[in-house]
Amino acid sequence: MADAGVTGVVAKLGELAAEEATALLRVDAEIRALRRKLAYLQALVRGADRQRRGRASELLLLWLRETREVAFEVEDAVDEFHLRVEACRLGARWRRRRRWWWGWHRDAVSLVQALTTQYNSKDLLIFWANKCVLSPVLSIFVRHGLSNQISKINERIEELNQNKETYQIESSPSEIWSYASVEVDPEWYEDKYVIGSRESEFAILKDLIINKEGDISHRAVISILGERGIGKTTLAKKLYNDPDIIKHFEVHAWVCLPPHIRFREYIEIMYMQVSSQVPETPEENDSTIFAPGNEETTDMEFKLWQNLENRRYLVVLDGLVSISDWNSLFAVLPDTNCSRILLTTHLNVKEINHIDPQIAPIKLPYLDEKHGEELFCQRVFGTIEPPEIYRSKGYYKKVHSISTGLPLAITVLAGILRSKLFPMEWDVIFEQLESNGQPKPVRSIWYLAFDDLPHYLKSCFLYFASVSENVILYPDRLVRLWIAEGFVMPKKAETLEDVGFDYLKELVSRGLVQVMEKDAGGSIKLVAIHNLLHAFVESEAQDSSFLEIHHHANVVNPNAVRRLAIQNYVDGYVHIPNAFPKLRSLLCDFAEDQRSSSSSGELQPQSLWGNLAELCSRACGISENVSSNTLHGLHFLQGSRFLRVVDLNGLKMQKLPDVIGNIIHLRYLGIRNSNLEELPSSIYKLDNLQTLDVRKTNVGKTVDEFWDIEALRHVLAEKMLLPDCSVPLNNLMTLNGVVPCSLWDEKNCPLNNMIYLRSLSMSGISAAHTTALSAALRKMEFLLYLNLSGEFLPSNMFTTSSMRRLQVLILHGKLQGINDLPNDRYVLPNLTMLYLHKSEVSQHFVHKLATLPCLVEMELSAVSYSETTLFFDGFLSLARLKLEKVSMLKELVIGEGAMPMLSIISMYDCDSLKAFKALNGLEHLQEVAIYNMPEIVDNIKLQDEKLFSKIKCLTIPTIVTDRGGFPGRFVRMLDQLDHVVRVTVASESRCSDM
């Protein structure tokens, strides 16, 4: 697949042609000419890429491979040019920042060191020319070097064209069909075909799970069987989210079973979910009661058993691939009466028949033609009635024949056809999926779907191969990586992030990416791709040299690797060589080796991918006998000068090497879930850095000069000091996890230079900061997400017009002057989520909130309300309400006509609350979760039988789940622990990765 490689280089040449550097060095004409040649070559490559899906000749495959190599040569030349120009600019900046005599001394020392180390003659010339301020000489040298490289590349292109003619290689330019850009229909987030096509299976399974007749009293195992892509997980999700099933069980857990994971990780995934719903007793915390040997895995098994014992639970095990895994897991789930285990697997009946002989497995069949047509039409036409011409031409029969009734195949095929405007184009698609009137294998749909993608989406889709299968991703992180890689092309009046999200929505509309969860406003929150599509993408990425993917194998040819993803589940290390001279992206995620686990019985945070400490120790030449607790410095990055993306998760290290400042192409630096304590002072040299992500580390500050990097777009940390900065950061959109480091006034506040922020999360705010913070907020007209924590907080975000775009507001602290705000109503027309903690607001404040038109979720906790009676009127969009430890509250009243869309109410530890009155019937209410408040339950029973029937009275502190979202799968996301299975909770939704 050469198209993605050529496309990326053409885009990079476009960026370079527009830059000032090319004009200053007078090579812009050569760059533009080369770009034109590659654009023509790209048109031929796209057509050849389509041809190779069939019986392509060896000559065509060879020509494609050589074309890709030429594109890579162009990329190397461009990046080398950038490297030298940036080195020149950086040198000039250094000279301005230090005294000349000291600079001369340092330069002389550096030159001597360079002479004795790795520099060649060209590098020395550039180095010395730069230091001696010989900019004209350097300019001529760099221009001459780039011109020579372009000349050689032009010769290669001419040779390619000549070979194509000499050997009569057939490759015609790809045809451009009409394309209708379509928005993602929100209805697609729910797979409604379950209700129709799976109605009988749904009813049978629901009856088995709830068992109203009471004839299944044992811990039953209910199995859903079927091929990959048949809809097992979708059906299980519908059951898991069914209101009747939710109320029937005290404890719920959804566990996805990835194909490569240690048994210990399975146990911890279940334990993390269950323990969040069950309080541990003092006896459970006593390590002396654990099994002999005091081993950590045994401890977790014991705790999991205790938490589930004598409680009615529902555990979904999604995607079982091994009977041995089942046998191990089954042993740690207690045989509690009327509990249920719902199992989805593609194993056959004979393999799992012994699991529960009393209950026959339910095997999902392929969709029949009628239900397949319903799914197809829903995906193509949405709610619009399909034109009759499509039925008269027999298209629906062809869809059924080609897809064989596999729901995933129908969805992806619909994604191809929904962007085609005319039936004639549909005919062309069907011709490509048939051979001699017979349908090709289903996998041909994946090939065609990929080939049909616009060129700008192919690299974005291939990027999903950089993570392992069954991983759910935050789209924010994904889009940031795409931008850093250079995949996202700028559009007028749109940010790169907005364009990247449009790319993602387009992949969703084509059925290639699944939306796993929405936020309160209905936007995409979590995404994934199906295992079948992931296998295809992984194969395509490796075959096209787009990405090297390694699990537990050595990198064969480090000198040729351009992107490297290491995904390790089993081994404690993977050997990495000392240098990757052409590496652009390094994405690693490893699990710590068990030898580094605590043996004291305490749970330690674990990642899921392997021990990168040993990996890097070996890479740096450290002995294999070095303890797995060794902290290292990632020195093998020293030889990778072209790196643009470094994203490492679970790396055991205390500091980055200072050489990181020399990787001036770097745009994305992510070090998460590690021992990292400090960033090197050289980080300020990274003038192209867009994203710094050091969450789940100990990094508390960085050099002040870091905040002068004008390219910064996203900074995500835990509690990093925010110093004063003098440079306007007009590109900065995300500033999360910072604390003020000095007193502020209206003129002396760093946020005044960050007025284009979209996401701001700050803690440690005091009364001395509120005036300046309030003034800064009045300037932030693009803010979407605001999270403030401190002793005192400003309150003007409710009344200032600059907050009109705000969607999520999280406040931990007392709101200064909240009851004295002059406005009669609040100006937050787009606010969807509001969380207040220790805010001490009044009934008057709540009345003002009632008029907000888009508010969907609201939480009041811990002294957030200061009166004894809370009356709700209005709140026409509110769907979820949570009250937690509102100690002064005695009476809760929902007025007539208020909260017509309310579906979930949860109340925890409101000790004084004695009365709850709902005067409007709450027709949409599905669940009332009450914990540790028996008196109010009795009162509701006496006063409102209808409301009482919806109460899920909890004897244990269950976390109320957002059942509208996707309940599980193996999760590896930015704002969660490394392997927490996704159960969306109201308090966790505030951690959305903005």
Side-chain angles (χ1 to χ4, degrees):
M1 202 284 296
D3 185 15
V6 179
T7 299
V9 174
V10 171
K12 188 171 289 189
L13 285 174
E15 292 178 9
L16 182 58
E19 287 187 1
E20 181 186 4
T22 58
L24 291 176
L25 295 178
R26 284 174 267 179
V27 292
D28 51 326
E30 295 174 82
I31 293 292
R32 294 176 191 277
L34 180 58
R35 186 189 181 202
R36 286 195 296 269
K37 288 184 178 181
L38 282 179
Y40 281 105
L41 192 61
Q42 182 183 31
L44 293 173
V45 165
R46 289 176 190 159
D49 265 334
R50 290 179 184 270
Q51 291 174 236
R52 71 186 177 92
R53 299 297 186 190
R55 297 179 60 184
S57 68
E58 290 188 23
L59 286 172
L60 177 63
L61 297 178
L62 177 61
W63 184 79
L64 281 172
R65 185 166 61 249
E66 290 186 345
T67 302
R68 184 171 62 236
E69 290 173 359
V70 169
F72 288 161
E73 288 179 20
V74 175
E75 184 178 39
D76 291 341
V78 169
D79 285 346
E80 181 69 30
F81 171 76
H82 265 296
L83 195 67
R84 297 182 179 188
V85 171
E86 288 297 321
C88 179
R89 289 177 173 174
L90 193 59
R93 195 176 74 181
W94 288 346
R95 287 191 295 275
R96 288 194 299 269
R97 289 187 176 184
R98 61 189 182 180
R99 288 181 293 179
W100 172 253
W101 66 268
W102 173 245
W104 179 265
H105 170 74
R106 290 285 300 273
D107 294 342
V109 172
S110 300
L111 177 61
V112 173
Q113 291 176 340
L115 285 169
T116 60
T117 54
Q118 73 271 24
Y119 290 99
N120 57 36
S121 58
K122 280 187 178 181
D123 291 328
L124 286 175
L125 178 58
I126 296 171
F127 174 85
W128 191 243
N130 180 28
K131 298 302 180 181
C132 294
V133 207
L134 299 178
S135 54
V137 176
L138 178 60
S139 173
I140 293 172
F141 185 86
V142 173
R143 182 172 71 242
H144 180 69
L146 180 61
S147 297
N148 285 342
Q149 288 178 300
I150 291 177
S151 297
K152 292 179 181 179
I153 291 167
N154 282 329
E155 291 176 5
R156 288 289 308 276
I157 293 176
E158 292 299 327
E159 183 182 352
L160 283 173
N161 292 332
Q162 185 62 45
N163 287 341
K164 190 172 182 298
E165 294 179 6
T166 301
Y167 298 104
Q168 297 181 347
I169 300 173
E170 295 183 4
S171 172
S172 57
S174 59
E175 297 179 357
I176 303 298
W177 293 337
S178 63
Y179 173 67
S181 180
V182 287
E183 293 295 329
V184 181
D185 185 348
E187 296 294 326
W188 289 10
Y189 298 159
E190 302 294 336
D191 290 298
K192 294 188 175 181
Y193 82 90
V194 171
I195 303 302
S197 62
R198 305 299 189 201
E199 188 172 0
S200 60
E201 291 92 345
F202 180 86
I204 293 170
L205 288 164
K206 182 176 179 179
D207 183 64
L208 289 172
I209 293 172
I210 295 180
N211 189 230
K212 293 181 179 179
E213 295 78 12
D215 55 343
I216 306 176
S217 59
H218 69 289
R219 173 198 54 184
V221 181
I222 302 165
S223 302
I224 305 176
L225 310 185
E227 294 185 24
R228 288 188 172 98
I230 203 72
K232 303 181 297 294
T233 299
T234 302
L235 180 57
K237 181 171 65 172
K238 286 290 183 182
L239 291 162
Y240 187 83
N241 290 326
D242 183 80
D244 295 331
I245 292 177
I246 291 171
K247 290 175 57 179
H248 190 73
F249 296 95
E250 291 181 275
V251 181
H252 306 77
W254 181 294
V255 183
C256 181
L257 305 178
H260 309 290
I261 187 173
R262 295 174 180 143
F263 172 70
R264 182 190 181 285
E265 310 299 347
Y266 287 130
I267 299 301
E268 191 164 353
I269 287 169
M270 273 193 289
Y271 175 81
M272 294 292 289
Q273 283 196 84
V274 172
S275 63
S276 69
Q277 303 177 55
V278 178
E280 290 187 352
T281 63
E283 291 78 13
E284 288 174 332
N285 288 320
D286 185 358
S287 61
T288 61
I289 65 174
F290 295 141
N294 206 25
E295 189 182 67
E296 185 178 355
T297 303
T298 305
D299 296 348
M300 274 190 291
E301 292 179 32
F302 186 86
K303 289 183 177 183
L304 180 63
W305 180 282
Q306 277 196 327
N307 288 343
L308 292 177
E309 193 176 21
N310 299 323
R311 293 184 172 100
R312 189 162 58 192
Y313 63 82
L314 170 65
V315 173
V316 180
L317 302 178
D318 182 32
L320 182 73
V321 296
S322 169
I323 290 298
S324 62
D325 287 340
W326 162 255
N327 293 335
S328 301
L329 287 169
F330 188 68
V332 302
L333 298 174
D335 191 0
T336 303
N337 287 346
C338 298
S339 290
R340 299 289 183 263
I341 301 172
L342 183 60
L343 184 71
T344 72
T345 179
H346 66 271
L347 299 176
N348 60 48
V349 175
K350 291 183 179 179
E351 290 177 288
I352 69 163
N353 203 35
H354 69 285
I355 288 179
D356 192 337
Q358 300 181 48
I359 299 180
I362 303 294
K363 185 173 182 179
L364 297 186
Y366 287 88
L367 297 183
D368 58 29
E369 187 173 334
K370 175 189 173 184
H371 289 120
E373 178 183 331
E374 290 176 358
L375 174 61
F376 178 79
C377 290
Q378 177 202 347
R379 287 282 175 167
V380 175
F381 303 108
T383 57
I384 301 174
E385 185 69 23
E388 183 60 32
I389 187 174
Y390 292 96
R391 183 183 304 278
S392 63
K393 291 178 71 71
Y395 287 148
Y396 303 143
K397 291 183 180 295
K398 288 186 177 183
V399 168
H400 183 73
S401 175
I402 292 169
S403 68
T404 68
L406 187 70
L408 179 64
I410 294 173
T411 298
V412 176
L413 181 53
I416 301 172
L417 294 172
R418 76 187 304 257
S419 63
K420 307 297 178 284
L421 294 177
F422 307 109
M424 176 179 62
E425 296 172 320
W426 285 39
D427 293 332
V428 176
I429 294 294
F430 289 127
E431 285 175 9
Q432 296 185 56
L433 294 173
E434 293 177 331
S435 178
N436 298 322
Q438 297 298 316
K440 293 180 180 179
V442 169
R443 65 176 178 273
S444 300
I445 300 177
W446 319 148
Y447 298 147
L448 183 58
F450 180 73
D451 291 338
D452 187 61
L453 284 175
H455 62 87
Y456 56 84
L457 287 182
K458 289 185 177 179
S459 295
C460 296
F461 187 49
L462 289 179
Y463 215 72
F464 280 91
S466 65
V467 297
S468 183
E469 62 180 298
N470 280 2
V471 171
I472 300 176
L473 296 169
Y474 275 112
D476 308 76
R477 173 176 172 262
L478 190 62
V479 168
R480 288 173 195 147
L481 287 167
W482 288 350
I483 293 172
E485 293 279 4
F487 299 158
V488 179
M489 298 295 102
K491 285 186 179 180
K492 187 176 181 180
E494 289 190 63
T495 66
L496 289 174
E497 285 74 11
D498 289 339
V499 177
F501 268 90
D502 288 342
Y503 287 6
L504 182 62
K505 290 176 183 177
E506 194 165 349
L507 290 173
V508 170
S509 74
R510 290 171 172 268
L512 298 175
V513 173
Q514 296 172 298
V515 175
M516 311 313 295
E517 187 177 330
K518 301 176 294 181
D519 62 20
S523 300
I524 299 174
K525 185 176 181 180
L526 297 174
V527 296
I529 64 171
H530 194 278
N531 291 348
L532 283 176
L533 293 174
H534 184 276
F536 162 75
V537 168
E538 193 174 71
S539 173
E540 192 76 12
Q542 299 232 85
D543 291 346
S544 63
S545 300
F546 177 85
L547 176 72
E548 285 267 1
I549 306 166
H550 291 273
H551 301 279
H552 48 80
N554 292 337
V555 178
V556 177
N557 185 10
N559 293 323
V561 176
R562 308 183 82 81
R563 291 187 186 87
L564 176 63
I566 301 179
Q567 306 164 359
N568 189 287
Y569 290 98
V570 180
D571 292 343
Y573 62 85
V574 171
H575 175 65
I576 289 186
N578 288 330
F580 295 92
K582 296 187 177 181
L583 191 67
R584 266 67 179 181
S585 304
L586 176 64
L587 305 106
C588 297
D589 217 336
F590 277 75
E592 295 178 2
D593 189 78
Q594 291 192 36
R595 288 174 296 173
S596 65
S597 300
S598 170
S599 59
S600 65
E602 296 181 14
L603 292 178
Q604 301 294 328
Q606 299 286 320
S607 65
L608 296 170
W609 295 73
N611 190 346
L612 193 51
E614 287 189 87
L615 177 156
C616 296
S617 297
R618 292 195 168 210
C620 299
I622 301 175
S623 169
E624 294 181 19
N625 296 323
V626 174
S627 167
S628 61
N629 290 319
T630 300
L631 300 171
H632 56 82
L634 208 67
H635 299 296
F636 62 85
L637 295 178
Q638 183 173 351
S640 304
R641 300 181 304 152
F642 296 147
L643 271 168
R644 295 166 68 97
V645 171
V646 174
D647 190 31
L648 308 172
N649 188 31
L651 180 64
K652 297 180 66 176
M653 60 188 304
Q654 283 185 329
K655 62 182 298 184
L656 283 166
D658 199 57
V659 73
I660 197 79
N662 296 331
I663 308 178
I664 59 177
H665 285 302
L666 197 64
R667 297 187 179 189
Y668 188 106
L669 178 59
I671 311 286
R672 303 185 312 282
N673 294 294
S674 76
N675 304 87
L676 187 67
E677 294 184 350
E678 61 178 313
L679 295 171
S681 58
S682 65
I683 194 171
Y684 79 91
K685 300 177 185 178
L686 301 177
D687 280 346
N688 295 303
L689 189 66
Q690 298 173 351
T691 297
L692 176 68
D693 186 355
V694 288
R695 283 173 292 181
K696 303 295 177 66
T697 68
N698 299 317
V699 174
K701 65 178 181 178
T702 184
V703 292
D704 290 353
E705 291 84 354
F706 168 80
W707 300 99
D708 293 339
I709 300 177
E710 296 181 31
L712 279 177
R713 304 181 73 86
H714 309 281
V715 177
L716 304 105
E718 287 295 313
K719 288 188 177 181
M720 181 184 288
L721 290 176
L722 178 62
D724 295 334
C725 60
S726 56
V727 175
L729 297 178
N730 294 333
N731 293 309
L732 190 63
M733 301 175 65
T734 305
L735 183 64
N736 288 352
V738 295
V739 296
C741 65
S742 62
L743 298 180
W744 292 349
D745 56 47
E746 290 193 33
K747 293 183 179 180
N748 183 29
C749 175
L751 295 179
N752 291 332
N753 292 315
M754 307 173 184
I755 62 175
Y756 294 101
L757 283 174
R758 293 193 172 195
S759 175
L760 174 62
S761 175
M762 178 178 291
S763 60
I765 300 169
S766 67
H769 299 116
T770 55
T771 301
L773 179 56
S774 178
L777 289 176
R778 284 195 291 269
K779 304 173 185 176
M780 296 182 182
E781 297 190 1
F782 298 93
L783 207 60
L784 302 176
Y785 175 94
L786 180 60
N787 186 336
L788 301 178
S789 177
E791 183 181 0
F792 294 96
L793 303 177
S795 56
N796 69 316
M797 70 282 295
F798 290 98
T799 56
T800 178
S801 61
S802 63
M803 295 288 106
R804 61 185 180 276
R805 291 184 173 91
L806 195 66
Q807 297 175 7
V808 178
L809 179 58
I810 302 166
L811 302 173
H812 293 259
K814 186 174 181 179
L815 292 169
Q816 282 191 336
I818 187 61
N819 297 317
D820 300 322
L821 292 175
N823 292 21
D824 292 332
R825 56 182 299 170
Y826 292 154
V827 187
L828 292 168
N830 290 294
L831 191 70
T832 58
M833 291 186 287
L834 174 64
Y835 300 98
L836 300 178
H837 181 82
K838 294 185 178 180
S839 302
E840 301 183 24
V841 299
S842 65
Q843 179 69 63
H844 180 62
F845 171 85
V846 174
H847 281 317
K848 290 185 177 182
L849 291 180
T851 62
L852 299 182
C854 297
L855 190 62
V856 176
E857 292 185 9
M858 184 166 68
E859 176 182 331
L860 304 177
S861 67
V863 203
S864 56
Y865 187 71
S866 59
E867 300 185 24
T868 57
T869 300
L870 177 56
F871 181 84
F872 286 111
D873 192 10
F875 293 96
L876 301 182
S877 299
L878 196 71
R880 289 180 287 275
L881 172 65
K882 179 178 179 181
L883 305 175
E884 181 177 5
K885 296 181 180 178
V886 186
S887 55
M888 295 183 63
L889 186 62
K890 295 181 179 180
E891 183 180 24
L892 174 64
V893 181
I894 299 178
E896 246 181 277
M899 299 185 178
M901 305 306 296
L902 191 66
S903 60
I904 295 176
I905 303 175
S906 56
M907 295 181 283
Y908 305 143
D909 295 323
C910 299
D911 301 330
S912 303
L913 187 59
K914 308 300 180 186
F916 175 25
K917 300 176 183 178
L919 306 179
N920 62 348
L922 297 176
E923 295 297 328
H924 288 87
L925 188 63
Q926 297 178 1
E927 177 182 339
V928 180
I930 300 177
Y931 164 61
N932 201 25
M933 300 162 59
E935 186 175 348
I936 193 173
V937 174
D938 295 337
N939 293 338
I940 293 174
K941 184 177 182 179
L942 293 173
Q943 298 172 5
D944 192 335
E945 291 186 6
K946 184 178 179 181
L947 182 61
F948 178 76
S949 67
K950 298 179 179 181
I951 288 181
K952 179 178 179 179
C953 187
L954 307 175
T955 57
I956 54 175
T958 300
I959 295 180
V960 175
T961 302
D962 175 4
R963 299 291 178 177
F966 184 71
R969 277 203 181 190
F970 192 56
V971 177
R972 190 168 299 110
M973 298 179 295
L974 295 180
D975 287 313
Q976 306 293 330
L977 291 176
D978 295 346
H979 47 260
V980 177
V981 176
R982 180 68 182 180
V983 178
T984 308
V985 245
S987 59
E988 288 178 353
S989 63
R990 66 185 64 171
C991 299
S992 174
D993 174 25
M994 299 298 292

